[in-house]
Amino acid sequence: MLEDNPKVSKLATGDWMLTLKPKSITVPVEIPSSPLDDTPPEDSIPLVFPELDQQLQPLPPCHDSEESMEVFKQHCQIAEEYHEVKKEITLLEQRKKELIAKLDQAEKEKVDAAELVREFEALTEENRTLRLAQSQCVEQLEKLRIQYQKRQGSS
């Protein structure tokens, strides 16, 4: 059944190999201009900005090209700005943490203050009640003294 299909029979006979040209499999290879070339491989390029990730590092310029030198200078400026912004972000994040801690402390103190206000109000009410009870006791004691003196006087 598959043999009836023209594409299958063409594949089976190997005719397809004669009609297709192979693709180029060559890979461009960079060959140093001389065996004494001192240019280090890209992996060992000294880091211009060691604190930056490898992929953000400015690539060394081609000293023969003014445009390459200019691009390198611009990349260095951008890398410096990036470093400054990153440093500022770190400082701002630290400041944010400090402010959050202060806010948490202030809220805790606010809760503590509210609790102290409630406690003060309760103690003030208790103090008022106790003073009232004391004055009633003093009045009652005075009445009892008067009664006792009257009994002593009549006896």
Side-chain angles (χ1 to χ4, degrees):
M1 185 152 106
L2 289 176
E3 292 82 13
D4 295 338
N5 189 324
K7 288 183 181 179
V8 172
S9 59
K10 190 175 182 182
L11 286 173
T13 61
D15 289 342
W16 61 274
M17 294 173 78
L18 301 173
T19 59
L20 298 176
K21 292 182 181 177
K23 292 184 180 180
S24 172
I25 57 169
T26 60
V27 177
V29 176
E30 192 173 319
I31 301 172
S33 56
S34 73
L36 302 174
D37 192 4
D38 291 345
T39 312
E42 198 170 311
D43 292 343
S44 65
I45 295 173
L47 301 178
V48 179
F49 297 92
E51 61 279 346
L52 289 180
D53 295 338
Q54 179 69 32
Q55 70 265 17
L56 298 177
Q57 291 292 324
L59 297 175
C62 176
H63 296 288
D64 299 337
S65 168
E66 193 174 309
E67 183 182 6
S68 177
M69 294 296 287
E70 188 60 35
V71 168
F72 178 74
K73 286 178 187 176
Q74 289 174 352
H75 195 163
C76 287
Q77 288 173 342
I78 291 169
E80 285 177 25
E81 291 172 13
Y82 175 82
H83 176 67
E84 291 300 316
V85 168
K86 201 170 180 183
K87 192 164 54 170
E88 189 173 339
I89 287 171
T90 302
L91 292 173
L92 290 172
E93 286 173 346
Q94 180 62 34
R95 179 71 177 137
K96 177 184 169 185
K97 287 178 185 176
E98 291 170 3
L99 290 174
I100 287 172
K102 276 186 176 182
L103 180 63
D104 290 344
Q105 182 65 29
E107 287 175 357
K108 184 177 183 261
E109 289 173 359
K110 186 177 178 182
V111 168
D112 291 346
E115 191 176 311
L116 288 173
V117 166
R118 284 191 296 275
E119 186 178 345
F120 175 77
E121 289 170 351
L123 290 173
T124 302
E125 180 60 28
E126 184 180 354
N127 189 11
R128 188 187 67 74
T129 304
L130 290 173
R131 286 180 187 251
L132 182 62
Q134 182 210 15
S135 67
Q136 288 173 348
C137 288
V138 166
E139 285 177 23
Q140 207 172 18
L141 179 64
E142 195 59 39
K143 287 179 184 176
L144 289 173
R145 276 191 191 148
I146 292 172
Q147 286 177 358
Y148 181 73
Q149 286 176 354
K150 283 183 182 176
R151 283 189 191 160
Q152 289 289 339
S154 55
S155 25

